[in-house]
Amino acid sequence: MASSVVRATVRAVSKRKIQATRAALTLTPSAVQKIKQLLKDKPEHVGVKVGVRTRGCNGLSYTLEYTKSKGDSDEEVIQDGVRVFIEKKAQLTLLGTEMDYVEDKLSSEFVFNNPNIKGTCGCGESFNI
């Protein structure tokens, strides 16, 4: 079982339309830098894998794990030298999503700015489509 990378938060983006992109997921420069930093100490891992699990008070929650290889049904996103693999179950929920890394005085986390989300829970860790 792969270990969890870090905590992730979900944000519903209501005013943004889904735009066709070459990648199922886009990364902000801060997300790229953080993933590079995390993988620097793990040479046996080639990237991170994003998935969804049924949990939380609103239905679904994202997972992030280190990965050593691409799965048979994984979608691969390569941006600025960083490889992110999307599990099959998460592919449709992530279309048009931007993955960001945010730091403030009290926390640091990956944030998924997802235009497909219909609602989130109060804590922002689970969502529904």
Side-chain angles (χ1 to χ4, degrees):
M1 178 95 183
S3 61
S4 180
V5 177
V6 289
R7 200 180 113 198
T9 298
V10 177
R11 289 191 187 141
V13 182
S14 61
K15 293 184 170 90
R16 205 168 98 186
K17 294 181 181 178
I18 296 177
Q19 300 172 353
T21 62
R22 295 190 120 157
L25 175 72
T26 57
L27 305 163
T28 64
S30 62
V32 168
Q33 286 304 108
K34 185 60 179 180
I35 293 171
K36 283 181 179 179
Q37 179 187 0
L38 291 169
L39 291 173
K40 186 169 48 170
D41 299 332
K42 302 198 176 298
E44 69 278 8
H45 294 92
V46 297
V48 295
K49 185 177 285 195
V50 179
V52 289
R53 300 290 179 262
T54 303
R55 67 174 170 219
C57 50
N58 221 329
L60 297 171
S61 179
Y62 286 116
T63 62
L64 289 169
E65 299 175 342
Y66 296 104
T67 187
K68 294 181 180 180
S69 63
K70 178 182 185 283
D72 292 336
S73 58
D74 290 347
E75 175 80 23
E76 183 176 7
V77 175
I78 301 173
Q79 184 177 323
D80 300 326
V82 169
R83 295 172 73 188
V84 176
F85 302 95
I86 305 169
E87 291 179 350
K88 184 177 183 174
K89 185 177 175 183
Q91 290 172 7
L92 289 177
T93 65
L94 283 170
L95 286 175
T97 298
E98 175 189 72
M99 182 178 173
D100 193 9
Y101 183 74
V102 178
E103 291 185 79
D104 62 25
K105 292 180 182 179
L106 298 175
S107 67
S108 59
E109 61 191 346
F110 284 101
V111 175
F112 292 87
N113 296 310
N114 189 335
N116 306 310
I117 292 175
K118 301 294 184 227
T120 62
C121 65
C123 64
E125 291 187 18
S126 66
F127 63 95
N128 63 46
I129 301 275

